Amino acid sequence: TILALFPLLIATSLSGRLELHNATSRSIYTQYTLVESNVLDGNVATFYHSGADENPEWMQLELVPRSATVQSVVIINRLTPLPGVRDRIIGTEVSIGDGVDNWIYCGRISSTNPDGESVSDQTYPVECPGDIIVTHIRLYDATSLEGNSMTMNLAEVAAYGFQIGYGKRNEESTLDYHFQQQSKENVVNSQHESMLVFKSFF
């Protein structure tokens, strides 16, 4: 059962593709209709194109109805015969979180298929922690932090996981609990390192 898979969630859940809406970004290429909603229209022939020199580029998508655990995010790259354009997706990082300050890193697209132009060749799945309730997905241009300028070109974005109902949830499945535990672990690690330094003097 669902509850056997996720004992932390005391709620009604349905697994499968999650509904996304309200895609926003830092910038768009205004000369054409290459807007954010293109990544949610189910048409791989349309795509989103970021504006020029607006680094770091990012895109944020909202889960419907704002409550789910995300197991994976699947990105379909812009379908083009131009390898240099296909490579624009390299360095895209995927995170899940609350849409504000709390984000959990999922992974990064570090390479592309150099020869493929089909949907299957240009589909890139990124796995995420599947046991924390979140409301948003964020795609972020990490290459700009490394001194590069990147244009974001994406055809489609999809998410898969478990849609959570409106029942009671155990606090251990929330973002707040996750970051509280992370903070406690950091304190313990810091104390442990301090003890090692102290003992090294004796």
Side-chain angles (χ1 to χ4, degrees):
T1 64
I2 299 299
L3 291 180
L5 292 174
F6 291 97
L8 300 181
L9 306 181
I10 308 173
T12 301
S13 306
L14 295 174
S15 63
R17 182 167 178 172
L18 302 170
E19 185 180 352
L20 300 172
H21 79 143
N22 195 26
T24 57
S25 68
R26 178 166 185 174
S27 66
I28 60 172
Y29 191 60
T30 56
Q31 188 172 350
Y32 303 101
T33 56
L34 307 177
V35 295
E36 300 97 327
S37 58
N38 286 346
V39 304
L40 300 176
D41 64 1
N43 182 1
V44 296
T46 64
F47 59 91
Y48 160 73
H49 193 305
S50 63
D53 300 323
E54 293 289 340
N55 290 310
E57 295 292 350
W58 54 262
M59 173 176 284
Q60 189 165 294
L61 305 103
E62 188 175 331
L63 289 157
V64 180
R66 294 177 57 82
S67 185
T69 58
V70 178
Q71 293 180 311
S72 65
V73 175
V74 178
I75 302 173
I76 299 178
N77 198 7
R78 175 183 173 182
L79 303 182
T80 172
L82 303 174
V85 175
R86 289 201 300 266
D87 288 348
R88 290 173 178 173
I89 198 172
I90 295 175
T92 299
E93 292 186 347
V94 178
S95 299
I96 55 176
D98 62 0
V100 186
D101 298 319
N102 295 320
W103 295 98
I104 299 170
Y105 176 77
C106 295
R108 172 174 174 157
I109 298 174
S110 57
S111 62
T112 59
N113 187 330
D115 302 316
E117 299 177 27
S118 68
V119 172
S120 59
D121 291 329
Q122 293 302 318
T123 296
Y124 301 93
V126 177
E127 293 187 3
C128 294
D131 58 352
I132 301 171
I133 298 174
V134 296
T135 59
H136 292 75
I137 294 169
R138 183 177 67 177
L139 312 179
Y140 187 79
D141 163 24
T143 61
S144 63
L145 302 178
E146 300 160 2
N148 301 313
S149 178
M150 174 182 145
T151 299
M152 189 175 279
N153 282 167
L154 309 173
E156 290 291 315
V157 178
Y160 295 86
F162 288 81
Q163 194 71 65
I164 308 305
Y166 293 99
K168 181 181 178 182
R169 294 146 195 174
N170 190 296
E171 68 167 355
E172 295 179 10
S173 62
T174 64
L175 270 173
D176 287 342
Y177 181 85
H178 171 82
F179 285 105
Q180 286 171 7
Q181 292 301 109
Q182 193 175 64
S183 178
K184 289 179 182 178
E185 290 177 3
N186 291 338
V187 170
V188 171
N189 291 336
S190 177
Q191 291 173 341
H192 178 67
E193 291 174 0
S194 296
M195 286 299 296
L196 291 177
V197 172
F198 177 76
K199 289 181 180 179
S200 69
F201 287 101
F202 297 91

